[in-house]
Amino acid sequence: MSSDRPSLSSPLCHADDFDFSGDYLFVAERLRMHRLDESLRPLLEARGGRIVRLQADHQALGTPDGWNLLDMPPDFFARHAFRAAFTTDNSTPRDLVPPQLPLIAIPHAFWETPQSEKLLGGWAAYLGNADYYLTQDRPSPSRDALVSSLRRRDVVRLLPFGSLKLDLLRERWLAEPRKDIIMYCCGVTAHSRPLEEKLELVRHCLRHFPRHHVVVRPFPGAEAAYAPLAEALRQEERFLLDTGSSSLRYLPRAATLLYDSHTTAGRIFLVATGQTAVCIPSLDMDPKDEALHPCVIHSPAELPAAVAACLAQLEQGEVPELRRLREAIIYRPGEARHLFWEYLAAILRGCVPPQAVSVACEYIGGCRPASRQEELQLLLQRIQAGTVERSYNLFREYPLYNNLEAFYRTLRRRMEKGQPCLVRLKQHPTSWAMRICRDDDLGLPFFCWSPLRDYGLPGLKHIQTHQQQRLAAPEADCAILLPDRDTCLFRQAFAELVQMGLGTSTALPQS
């Protein structure tokens, strides 16, 4: 296995004596700003670097030591001689970071499958505006991959890296002798189980495992939603609501973990520690996705047995399957910090690290829609060309395009799994899976969807009839979007649905 590792010992990339002091920019939306505190900030500060935070939105600052786009002074970049800029995925707005400043992206989420395969096989949009992207695994060159970008350059370079947070969690977890916490990492309440059910889960842990403390950590930015839970448990001495800047404060003491299925904390814990954990499925979780989680419960009554099984596994050591998963999806586990310094030293010298894999870019910086009509026309053009996936969230400053593109990608992922969806354009019943799009200022309609897996035989018959009719006119209130092999039917039906919902006469682009 060691023979597969490229050498980083050349003088060009040697970083032991390199001077990393100076200012560095970290730019991300408020909800992603915590990635800084869990990885880059302590790393850079240990070598004399100073982080300047820039929130890539107009929301109130999550921490007082930073700026947002609303209050950023015009001479912001003139005030700081930044050596490099960091971001998460593609969360940097267009034209924000000067092109001469190297922009390095770290993944926002944790990938439980080989990341590069998805990045180079249809998910290239995650590469966004960055000059470099630190991948979890080792990417292979691809002639077919193409990235849409608002940053004027020919390529984005992937750097095989691993995961700073996973390495740090594994190191601390193995070094921490105390395993006296059952931790629950919660997601945003819009997708996860009701707060009353979460409260019941916590009470089960407190009741059945008296030797353990229970720590609940809300998703950063969603802490206020968990205030009623904290109030209900304020008399419990063994309960704590963790709202600190990093989840790594208590995770090293976790004997086991509860996690909402749409959070990344559970997957990182599984792979880093090699221990099982308990997954709480979200309201819209597909049953087929349960295979990605070793232990899934569907009611609070199942929790005590599941936690007991995890605690028993802790005594037996690492789960072999999870160790193999770590070796399969993480490039050189345990070496991310070393690689970070070697890569950064090369980039600051103006060199390209020899391990970089270049992916071609399609520059779309000239796309600047000036009206709702132009936003819609741009969306329809990219749907017709099949390039929506490449432009993921690059048009976030245009609310109509951004909302509809997010809706398209949500449904498209279900189409890829062969799952049809029923889509409504008006107020949806509370039992529906998700509300995607509404902007009162722009007068947008509701766009909400529900998977058809629960519709039984009559629903399946309806789907069959609709597919035979292909593009039969949707009803005034809803439409069924169906999967198809070349996506043409889905694109056409989605475009017609959007036109109908917005009451527009914009002509569909022709092939």
Side-chain angles (χ1 to χ4, degrees):
M1 189 170 180
S2 59
S3 62
D4 187 50
R5 298 179 178 179
S7 172
L8 291 175
S9 59
S10 66
L12 179 64
C13 293
H14 192 65
D16 290 346
D17 301 321
F18 191 83
D19 180 13
F20 291 99
S21 61
D23 286 356
Y24 296 85
L25 177 67
F26 185 83
V27 54
E29 291 98 338
R30 175 173 174 166
L31 289 181
R32 298 182 178 184
M33 192 60 71
H34 66 287
R35 301 294 180 193
L36 167 66
D37 297 310
E38 294 179 337
S39 55
L40 294 181
R41 184 180 59 80
L43 205 60
L44 283 166
E45 289 180 352
R47 299 287 292 267
R50 176 179 175 267
I51 289 286
V52 178
R53 302 169 185 254
L54 177 58
Q55 241 176 239
D57 51 44
H58 292 185
Q59 297 184 35
L61 292 176
T63 56
D65 57 335
W67 305 88
N68 61 16
L69 296 183
L70 184 64
D71 299 324
M72 185 182 74
D75 61 344
F76 178 78
F77 284 93
R79 293 185 184 185
H80 303 277
F82 290 120
R83 302 191 69 183
F86 296 91
T87 187
T88 56
D89 290 330
N90 60 354
S91 59
T92 303
R94 70 166 71 213
D95 301 331
L96 178 65
V97 177
Q100 66 273 16
L101 187 65
L103 182 58
I104 306 166
I106 59 176
H108 164 235
F110 181 80
W111 301 62
E112 69 279 0
T113 56
Q115 181 189 22
S116 296
E117 291 182 9
K118 287 191 175 182
L119 288 174
L120 298 176
W123 292 60
Y126 272 87
L127 304 177
N129 293 330
D131 298 302
Y132 293 92
Y133 189 96
L134 303 178
T135 61
Q136 280 182 197
D137 55 1
R138 184 178 183 179
S140 300
S142 174
R143 295 181 179 179
D144 300 326
L146 184 65
V147 182
S148 293
S149 170
L150 299 174
R151 191 171 169 87
R152 192 185 297 276
R153 74 247 192 288
D154 298 326
V155 298
V156 60
R157 294 182 172 94
L158 311 186
L159 294 174
F161 180 65
S163 170
L164 284 169
K165 183 175 181 180
L166 185 141
D167 284 358
L168 189 57
L169 172 57
R170 178 166 177 77
E171 179 182 300
R172 292 184 181 180
W173 192 87
L174 291 173
E176 173 58 70
R178 296 172 296 174
K179 294 292 182 282
D180 56 351
I181 285 176
I182 297 173
M183 193 161 177
Y184 184 8
C185 289
C186 303
V188 291
T189 54
H191 307 293
S192 58
R193 297 285 172 173
L195 198 62
E196 295 79 9
E197 188 170 329
K198 294 178 185 291
L199 178 60
E200 189 175 355
L201 291 170
V202 174
R203 283 178 167 156
H204 270 302
C205 289
L206 291 167
R207 183 182 311 119
H208 292 276
F209 304 99
R211 299 175 60 184
H212 292 79
H213 297 273
V214 180
V215 176
V216 170
R217 179 171 177 79
F219 186 83
E223 294 87 354
Y226 289 86
L229 183 146
E231 175 63 23
L233 296 169
R234 61 188 175 89
Q235 301 298 331
E236 294 283 353
E237 295 182 355
R238 293 183 294 116
F239 167 76
L240 175 69
L241 185 70
D242 175 24
T243 58
S245 61
S246 173
S247 62
L248 296 179
R249 180 179 181 184
Y250 293 105
L251 268 177
R253 290 171 54 185
T256 191
L257 185 77
L258 281 60
Y259 64 97
D260 288 344
S261 59
H262 57 287
T263 66
T264 60
R267 301 166 192 171
I268 292 177
F269 181 86
L270 289 166
V271 178
T273 67
Q275 297 296 315
T276 54
V278 181
C279 173
I280 315 299
S282 58
L283 294 173
D284 60 339
M285 181 177 176
D286 194 297
K288 295 180 181 179
D289 293 336
E290 291 190 9
L292 298 174
H293 308 273
C295 177
V296 181
I297 65 171
H298 298 93
S299 71
E302 301 175 37
L303 181 66
V307 171
C310 292
L311 297 179
Q313 177 61 51
L314 180 64
E315 302 297 324
Q316 300 174 24
E318 192 171 26
V319 178
E321 291 80 1
L322 293 175
R323 183 187 68 250
R324 288 193 289 269
L325 178 61
R326 180 171 63 248
E327 294 171 351
I329 67 175
I330 301 297
Y331 178 73
R332 295 169 65 169
E335 299 187 41
R337 277 174 289 186
H338 167 72
L339 290 167
F340 176 81
W341 295 125
E342 300 291 356
Y343 290 154
L344 185 57
I347 292 169
L348 293 180
R349 287 188 178 107
C351 304
V352 176
Q355 297 78 22
V357 173
S358 297
V359 180
C361 287
E362 169 203 24
Y363 178 65
I364 56 173
C367 299
R368 296 177 181 271
S371 65
R372 285 187 61 187
Q373 188 75 4
E374 291 184 12
E375 288 181 54
L376 180 59
Q377 186 65 33
L378 177 64
L379 173 76
L380 296 177
Q381 288 172 352
R382 298 192 73 79
I383 287 176
Q384 182 72 9
T387 59
V388 172
E389 286 84 355
R390 293 210 307 267
S391 62
Y392 164 65
N393 218 18
L394 291 179
F395 299 97
R396 61 171 53 81
E397 63 263 52
Y398 304 110
L400 175 63
Y401 183 101
N402 190 40
N403 281 329
L404 292 178
E405 182 193 67
F407 186 43
Y408 173 91
R409 287 184 290 102
T410 299
L411 295 179
R412 188 70 199 114
R413 284 195 292 269
R414 301 198 66 84
M415 299 299 106
E416 291 172 350
K417 297 179 180 180
Q419 298 166 336
C421 295
L422 182 66
V423 180
R424 292 175 62 94
L425 306 178
K426 297 180 180 178
Q427 179 73 42
H428 64 289
T430 56
S431 60
W432 278 57
M434 189 181 298
R435 186 185 74 191
I436 296 291
C437 174
R438 187 188 185 190
D439 192 316
D440 292 329
D441 293 335
L442 291 175
L444 298 183
F446 279 97
F447 283 86
C448 52
W449 66 276
S450 179
L452 285 172
R453 61 174 182 266
D454 297 325
Y455 276 60
L457 292 178
L460 294 177
K461 182 64 177 178
H462 188 175
I463 295 171
Q464 183 181 17
T465 302
H466 184 88
Q467 190 146 26
Q468 289 171 351
Q469 296 174 351
R470 294 184 66 79
L471 292 176
E475 300 175 15
D477 186 48
C478 63
I480 295 176
L481 297 185
L482 299 161
D484 62 297
R485 290 185 179 181
D486 61 4
T487 75
C488 293
L489 174 62
F490 171 77
R491 292 178 196 164
Q492 181 80 6
F494 183 88
E496 290 186 354
L497 181 69
V498 168
Q499 289 180 298
M500 179 176 61
L502 295 175
T504 177
S505 58
T506 300
L508 277 172
Q510 299 299 315
S511 301

